[in-house]
Amino acid sequence: MSRQTVEFSINAAEKLNETLNAFLQIDREGALRRAGEIEGSGHGGPLAGIPIAVKDNICVKGLQASCGSKILGHYHPPYNATVIERLTTAGAVIIGKTNCDEFAMGSSNENSAFGPVRNPWDTTRVSGGSSGGSATAVAAGIVPVALGSDTGGSVRQPASLCGVIGMKPTYGRNSRYGLVAFASSLDQVGVFAREVEDVARVLGVIAGRDPQDATTADVPVPDYTASLTGDVKGARIGLPRALFGKGLDDEVKSSVESVVDVYRDLGAEIVDVELPNAGYAIAVYYIIATAEASSNLARFDGVRYGFRAEDAPELRQMYRKTRAEGFGPEVKRRIMLGTYVLSAGYYDAYYRKAQQVRTLIKNDFLKAFASCDAIITPTSPTPAFAIGEKTDDPLAMYLNDIYTVTANLAGIPGISVPCGLSSERLPIGFQLLGPYWSEDQLLKFAHAYEQVKPFTERPPISAS
Amino acid sequence: MPVTQSDIEKVAQLAHLELGEEELKTFGPQIAEIVAYVEQLNELDTTNVEPAIGGLTPEGERTETTRPDEIFGSLGQKIALAEAPDPAEGHFRVPKVL
């Protein structure tokens, strides 16, 4: 059974890759061998035989980890990320590595050195990013589950644009060991699936304390599937009306408002909440994330691994040329921004100020969660936009993250769930945000919605 | 504080990035625009607000992160050099420093 399932996925991945460009590497041989082993041994793990796709910034030993960048274009990590070890122990079969924005920097997957990922709902449009390949692989029915990473929305936003479920847990829930670091205080590995139960199962396998990642928390991992009772009577859902104003597409607005009605009908209480500093979140994010990135990406210098520029006979010249040739424009922009805000004379004005506003944003959520169990927002201000539409205006591109960055800044979990199609048949998603360690509740609420409003639409480009 | 071309050049140097003429011309105004955008944080009064250092939750802060001082596996020289652009006699060889 697993060999057949895995082979189906591999065939679909290969067949659709020219159209979608979701995969950077497909491991036919390794995956089929592993599937055979699992079948033969009667492996009883919770994910036995399930084909999974993994974003190319998460290390899988023996496969590539390009991070969507030329600077790691031929890099093969000598170790597995902790989340990969856990998936493999549970019997999952990794069929390949997925395309992503370079070093996870982007909201459209147009920043990949290996071409954009195309949205299976309309291939002239973006998949969203940065985990565009993983979102697309699930949306097109190639794999039932995929891993991505979420620093400012990079799992939730492409999930929304591709019509699948995407979840980012609490900071410290999943190990970042083996996830190539972008912004260490914001990054988390996240999960894509078409069904909430699958997200719950995979999260239960990968979550938990890891001695190799000192930022993981010693908090027990519950059986997330046990929370999926369908009962949300009496649950309090917070509605931040002020965030449903300017810049939000009308169709997205009315779609998410309909979701609120569904929760009301299911017996939930809708509570008004305010997040007064949410409007500053993008500014805070693009100071903190870029500052951390400028530090994390300093290691890519041509010395120990990855690309090294030729014609650079002197060491520092080699650093400069390697990085100039190896990094794409968005990565360079962010490294420079990060270096600028950390530099002498500017540190207090920008970086320290941003850290203070981050505290204000965190406190907004703590206060809001005193009166509700989860907060509902749209995930993305618009459905998928056209490839090339926003590439000339970095700031316009950054504003796609307006609903998602707050969760990373505050460290809270968030899940995006598909709730409809626009008049152009493009997916719309809603987002639920919860207090620290409330993944079980968020999954419960998402599942309850899914039971009464299952998202049965399928994109024109689909595996079959 | 408007970002100048000289700021961009200085920052590129700090970040070990060799930028071409065209890039400097494009990046300059883009970065200036983003910096101008983030300056809106000055609208907020943050007197006595603690800066958030890192992303740990309270449970994360309470988690014990030290381990016993015991040796466990390491990559070893061969594997550690396997991805090196220019390995030589057990070392990472690099161009000379002038």
Side-chain angles (χ1 to χ4, degrees):
Chain A
M1 194 46 211
S2 19
R3 208 176 186 281
Q4 225 178 358
T5 313
V6 168
E7 192 159 25
F8 173 87
S9 287
I10 293 168
N11 290 342
E14 286 173 350
K15 180 162 164 238
L16 297 178
N17 218 44
E18 203 176 305
T19 311
L20 298 176
N21 200 26
F23 283 84
L24 296 178
Q25 183 179 18
I26 298 166
D27 182 25
R28 175 177 275 277
E29 200 188 295
L32 286 177
R33 192 187 335 117
R34 178 89 185 113
E37 284 165 14
I38 298 211
E39 214 170 66
S41 68
H43 194 299
L47 301 177
I50 295 187
I52 291 193
V54 174
K55 185 176 182 180
D56 213 22
N57 65 349
I58 297 172
C59 291
V60 178
K61 188 166 160 183
L63 299 186
Q64 69 175 56
S66 72
C67 302
S69 181
K70 187 176 157 193
I71 217 168
L72 288 178
H74 300 289
Y75 175 69
H76 290 74
Y79 69 107
N80 280 322
T82 298
V83 295
I84 298 300
E85 288 284 349
R86 291 177 181 179
L87 280 181
T88 315
T89 303
V93 180
I94 293 160
I95 70 149
K97 305 305 295 302
T98 55
N99 200 352
C100 57
D101 278 304
E102 193 176 355
F103 287 106
M105 300 182 188
S107 314
S108 67
N109 221 124
E110 293 173 284
N111 293 327
S112 167
F114 308 105
V117 174
R118 293 172 181 278
N119 194 311
W121 294 84
D122 176 341
T123 56
T124 66
R125 293 184 185 256
V126 300
S127 56
S130 61
S131 315
S134 284
T136 294
V138 173
I142 296 171
V143 285
V145 171
L147 288 193
S149 72
D150 190 313
T151 303
S154 289
V155 164
R156 292 162 287 146
Q157 187 256 24
S160 177
L161 267 50
C162 289
V164 298
I165 301 161
M167 183 173 207
K168 178 199 87 72
T170 308
Y171 182 80
R173 178 76 290 182
N174 285 339
S175 173
R176 293 179 301 108
Y177 180 77
L179 166 66
V180 176
F182 158 14
S184 308
S185 78
L186 302 168
D187 293 343
Q188 271 293 282
V189 170
V191 182
F192 293 96
R194 270 177 164 166
E195 297 179 32
V196 176
E197 189 182 340
D198 289 341
V199 176
R201 267 201 294 164
V202 173
L203 185 62
V205 164
I206 63 176
R209 173 117 188 272
D210 178 16
Q212 303 206 83
D213 175 0
T215 62
T216 54
D218 196 0
V219 172
V221 180
D223 175 4
Y224 291 117
T225 60
S227 325
L228 309 180
T229 60
D231 179 16
V232 297
K233 276 194 283 293
R236 300 164 303 164
I237 308 255
L239 181 59
R241 288 180 201 279
L243 300 187
F244 283 67
K246 200 179 82 154
L248 179 57
D249 175 277
D250 286 331
E251 288 186 302
V252 174
K253 179 167 189 252
S254 68
S255 189
V256 177
E257 283 171 346
S258 303
V259 176
V260 174
D261 291 338
V262 170
Y263 277 116
R264 204 180 274 118
D265 292 341
L266 286 172
E269 188 196 332
I270 311 300
V271 176
D272 280 334
V273 295
E274 278 174 15
L275 297 167
N277 296 292
Y280 296 98
I282 294 275
V284 173
Y285 177 79
Y286 279 98
I287 291 173
I288 293 182
T290 57
E292 294 186 4
S294 73
S295 175
N296 281 324
L297 270 64
R299 71 194 65 187
F300 301 110
D301 57 12
V303 174
R304 291 166 295 159
Y305 40 72
F307 170 77
R308 179 189 287 193
E310 294 170 11
D311 303 325
E314 195 272 339
L315 181 66
R316 279 155 301 185
Q317 188 190 22
M318 187 272 277
Y319 293 157
R320 289 194 305 265
K321 273 198 105 200
T322 293
R323 292 159 65 78
E325 290 171 26
F327 287 140
E330 183 60 31
V331 169
K332 286 182 196 169
R333 237 183 323 261
R334 294 196 194 196
I335 289 173
M336 292 207 288
L337 251 160
T339 306
Y340 182 80
V341 303
L342 287 174
S343 62
Y346 296 130
Y347 181 96
D348 284 343
Y350 297 112
Y351 188 68
R352 193 166 186 280
K353 186 77 178 180
Q355 287 180 306
Q356 289 176 306
V357 182
R358 184 175 183 177
T359 298
L360 295 181
I361 291 170
K362 260 196 211 188
N363 291 343
D364 280 355
F365 280 105
L366 289 175
K367 188 153 169 243
F369 288 133
S371 62
C372 68
D373 304 308
I375 291 172
I376 186 169
T377 74
T379 305
S380 167
T382 66
F385 42 93
I387 292 173
E389 187 181 320
K390 301 192 184 185
T391 44
D392 284 339
D393 190 349
L395 192 51
M397 186 67 87
Y398 295 167
L399 294 173
N400 288 311
D401 301 335
I402 212 153
Y403 293 109
T404 48
V405 293
T406 45
N408 304 83
L409 292 172
I412 60 176
I415 187 169
S416 180
V417 180
C419 59
L421 293 180
S422 72
S423 52
E424 291 174 297
R425 290 193 62 81
L426 298 169
I428 294 170
F430 71 95
Q431 174 179 240
L432 290 173
L433 300 170
Y436 298 140
W437 317 112
S438 67
E439 290 81 5
D440 52 350
Q441 282 219 93
L442 292 182
L443 288 163
K444 179 165 88 160
F445 296 159
H447 175 260
Y449 177 84
E450 185 190 51
Q451 294 301 104
V452 297
K453 294 279 179 191
F455 186 74
T456 53
E457 303 272 8
R458 291 291 172 250
I461 311 290
S462 264
S464 47
Chain B
M1 315 168 221
V3 177
T4 65
Q5 195 71 344
S6 139
D7 286 330
I8 302 286
E9 285 165 11
K10 178 165 157 235
V11 159
Q13 223 179 9
L14 284 173
H16 295 296
L17 284 171
E18 181 184 89
L19 296 181
E21 275 305 305
E22 277 308 305
E23 280 179 307
L24 281 169
K25 273 206 214 111
T26 327
F27 284 165
Q30 285 173 340
I31 290 174
E33 193 193 13
I34 297 164
V35 171
Y37 175 81
V38 303
E39 281 182 345
Q40 66 182 266
L41 295 185
N42 291 327
E43 291 165 17
L44 289 169
D45 180 7
T46 51
T47 331
N48 298 324
V49 178
E50 275 303 299
I53 313 276
L56 290 175
T57 59
E59 292 75 11
E61 303 247 0
R62 286 197 290 270
T63 298
E64 174 60 57
T65 54
T66 57
R67 64 170 176 83
D69 186 11
E70 286 159 8
I71 298 173
F72 63 94
S74 71
L75 286 181
Q77 192 185 68
K78 182 156 172 269
I79 294 175
L81 288 170
E83 292 288 317
D86 189 11
E89 296 169 68
H91 294 69
F92 295 103
R93 184 163 48 197
V94 294
K96 60 180 178 281
V97 182
L98 286 174

